[in-house]
Amino acid sequence: MGCTQSILLAQEKGKNPPQGTAESRVLVGQSYLQQGKVDEAIEELSEVVRLWPNCARAYLERGHAYSEKKIWDNAVADYTMATKLQDNYISAYYLRAQAYMHMGQLDDAAKDYTTAIKLDPENAQLRALKSEIQKARLVVVPVRASRDAEEAPAGDADEAEDPFAGLDTPTSARNAVKQCMICMDAERGCRLRPCLHAALCVSCGENLKGKGFGCPICNVKIEAVEQGAFMRTFALDEAQGLAALALRSPGAGGPSP
């Protein structure tokens, strides 16, 4: 629910709206934040939330202030409240995904990306977010997979052989369905020729081929889309090389700030 609707709701219940408007008070909080007065911003926006509890934007901006102080749990709670009040609030999903990334919760960040991109498929900022999540997975997944391989029974050697199976899917479950890296919704069901990368659903693969686009991993022109269930996104040596490259990059070790 927007801030204006919150005021109208108060009037319908016979209450006098507080002095000023929710929008004007949110702008005051934003002004504090822009001046680097984060504590003052939180105080002001907390008062807005108290007076106008259904103002989604107030929660969003206070979540932003908490993010500036790196109080991620509070930020996530406020972004979550904003999405409950306004379930199509793209900025709230985007900022909550960023907070989840700082907390190392990449699966939750990917879920928020999936929700937001369905609301605005052409949003360039969301596409950049997807790249950030995938880059973070390049670092996190090899470490997680190595630990899993050490703990796995001898009979699970084949399953543990591919530590990059979940590289660009929004799930860490070892036996989970692998999701398409483009739509991040449908199940993977093809591999591209001639590069043999298998990270897309059939629909996305055919769509890219039809538009003359290259493979989203290596950019090699797609000549054919081979349907089927394939075990690996990459050849194992190629994936290890990509992970080593990511570890050597300046931003390795965590998501971008």
Side-chain angles (χ1 to χ4, degrees):
M1 181 181 294
C3 301
T4 300
Q5 290 93 329
S6 182
I7 295 173
L8 294 175
L9 182 62
Q11 291 174 331
E12 289 174 3
K13 293 182 177 179
K15 298 179 182 179
N16 292 323
Q19 185 177 4
T21 65
E23 285 93 341
S24 65
R25 296 289 295 271
V26 168
L27 288 174
V28 172
Q30 283 183 310
S31 177
Y32 281 134
L33 197 54
Q34 290 168 1
Q35 296 173 55
K37 299 178 180 179
V38 181
D39 291 331
E40 288 88 340
I42 291 174
E43 182 179 354
E44 177 67 19
L45 293 165
S46 294
E47 183 66 4
V48 178
V49 166
R50 185 185 71 81
L51 296 173
W52 293 278
N54 294 314
C55 182
R57 187 179 172 194
Y59 288 100
L60 179 83
E61 296 299 340
R62 190 175 66 173
H64 187 192
Y66 281 129
S67 292
E68 288 293 315
K69 292 179 70 71
K70 303 187 188 304
I71 307 177
W72 303 118
D73 287 338
N74 288 10
V76 166
D78 273 354
Y79 296 142
T80 298
M81 190 63 188
T83 63
K84 287 181 178 179
L85 291 169
Q86 189 174 324
D87 61 7
N88 63 346
Y89 209 160
I90 294 175
S91 294
Y93 292 114
Y94 172 81
L95 291 171
R96 188 171 65 177
Q98 291 280 6
Y100 278 140
M101 288 182 67
H102 283 285
M103 297 169 74
Q105 298 176 208
L106 300 182
D107 294 346
D108 290 322
K111 289 176 183 177
D112 275 348
Y113 160 80
T114 301
T115 300
I117 201 67
K118 288 178 180 178
L119 295 170
D120 187 2
E122 304 302 322
N123 190 308
Q125 193 174 33
L126 292 174
R127 293 296 181 185
L129 171 65
K130 176 183 172 183
S131 296
E132 291 178 24
I133 295 171
Q134 291 172 334
K135 180 179 179 181
R137 284 184 182 281
L138 281 169
V139 178
V140 173
V141 172
V143 175
R144 179 188 298 163
S146 177
R147 182 170 62 248
D148 288 347
E150 291 176 0
E151 297 173 355
D156 292 342
D158 291 340
E159 183 180 1
E161 186 182 26
D162 181 14
F164 299 91
L167 185 61
D168 43 31
T169 64
T171 176
S172 59
R174 297 176 64 192
N175 60 348
V177 171
K178 300 176 186 177
Q179 292 178 304
C180 171
M181 70 175 290
I182 297 295
C183 65
M184 295 182 80
D185 184 26
E187 181 179 354
R188 298 180 187 183
C190 68
R191 68 180 175 186
L192 309 179
R193 288 189 172 272
C195 66
L196 300 182
H197 284 130
L200 308 181
C201 66
V202 174
S203 177
C204 287
E206 293 288 0
N207 187 41
L208 291 181
K209 177 178 179 292
K211 293 181 178 180
F213 292 151
C215 168
I217 295 173
C218 65
N219 206 36
V220 169
K221 183 179 179 181
I222 301 171
E223 296 181 1
V225 176
E226 179 182 0
Q227 297 189 31
F230 302 96
M231 295 301 296
R232 295 190 176 94
T233 301
F234 304 95
L236 187 58
D237 57 348
E238 179 184 4
Q240 289 171 334
L242 286 172
L245 180 62
L247 290 171
R248 290 197 300 269
S249 69
S256 302

